[in-house]
Amino acid sequence: TCCAAAATGANSRFVGCLMTNNVCGATNGSYGNHCAALQLDGGARAEGCVIAFNETTAGSGMVGGAYLKNGTLVNCHVYGNKSVGTGGVRVTKGGVYNTVIFANETSAAMTAEGKTYHNITPGTDAFFFNCAFDRAPVDGTDCLFAEDLSTSFMNSSAA
């Protein structure tokens, strides 16, 4: 992968990490195999991390922030990431808990049920609990949503 950090295995952990300003321009034509910042697989976990201002520049399956092939994000902030595919977090299998996911952007027309995936792309085994978004989350999530973060989430955090 092209990620700044990648982990595989249930004993793999990133705790309190700052992953910022990474750029990935590689693509191999395989949907979702590249990200700019973080990839978790095999039950790997990231806790208390900031994933911000990362960017992918090629391939519609790319992820700017975090790609969970099979992993967990807990108490993280995913902010200001950009991608041709998913700006913030793509989850094939795993969970995202108590995480703030906002101000992420995509340049592709990645849609499902009429939504663009600026912040998240959920798979069928994806779970989002107690998260905060600045754009409407996918139906069935237990998450907060605000149209305007400048007034809606002042002095508050999902973490």
Side-chain angles (χ1 to χ4, degrees):
T1 68
C2 187
C3 301
T8 300
N11 292 324
S12 300
R13 300 273 189 272
F14 290 101
V15 179
C17 296
L18 180 62
M19 300 172 197
T20 62
N21 300 305
N22 298 291
V23 177
C24 178
T27 182
N28 68 357
S30 178
Y31 185 81
N33 281 344
H34 294 285
C35 63
L38 176 66
Q39 180 171 301
L40 301 174
D41 197 5
R45 183 178 180 104
E47 302 174 19
C49 296
V50 174
I51 302 166
F53 307 113
N54 301 289
E55 182 176 4
T56 61
T57 59
S60 63
M62 305 284 274
V63 181
Y67 175 33
L68 281 62
K69 291 177 85 170
N70 179 5
T72 305
L73 277 182
V74 179
N75 297 328
C76 294
H77 284 75
V78 183
Y79 173 80
N81 300 288
K82 297 179 182 179
S83 181
V84 176
T86 302
V89 180
R90 177 173 184 241
V91 183
T92 299
K93 181 178 181 181
V96 181
Y97 303 88
N98 303 325
T99 293
V100 177
I101 304 170
F102 63 103
N104 299 289
E105 299 176 19
T106 181
S107 59
M110 304 285 290
T111 61
E113 299 177 31
K115 298 181 177 80
T116 56
Y117 291 132
H118 295 285
N119 281 324
I120 63 171
T121 301
T124 55
D125 291 325
F127 302 94
F128 293 82
F129 297 101
N130 299 319
C131 296
F133 301 95
D134 63 341
R135 293 184 175 96
V138 173
D139 296 335
T141 61
D142 177 21
C143 301
L144 301 171
F145 161 59
E147 290 287 342
D148 181 2
L149 278 179
S150 65
T151 59
S152 300
F153 286 112
M154 290 182 69
N155 301 317
S156 65
S157 175

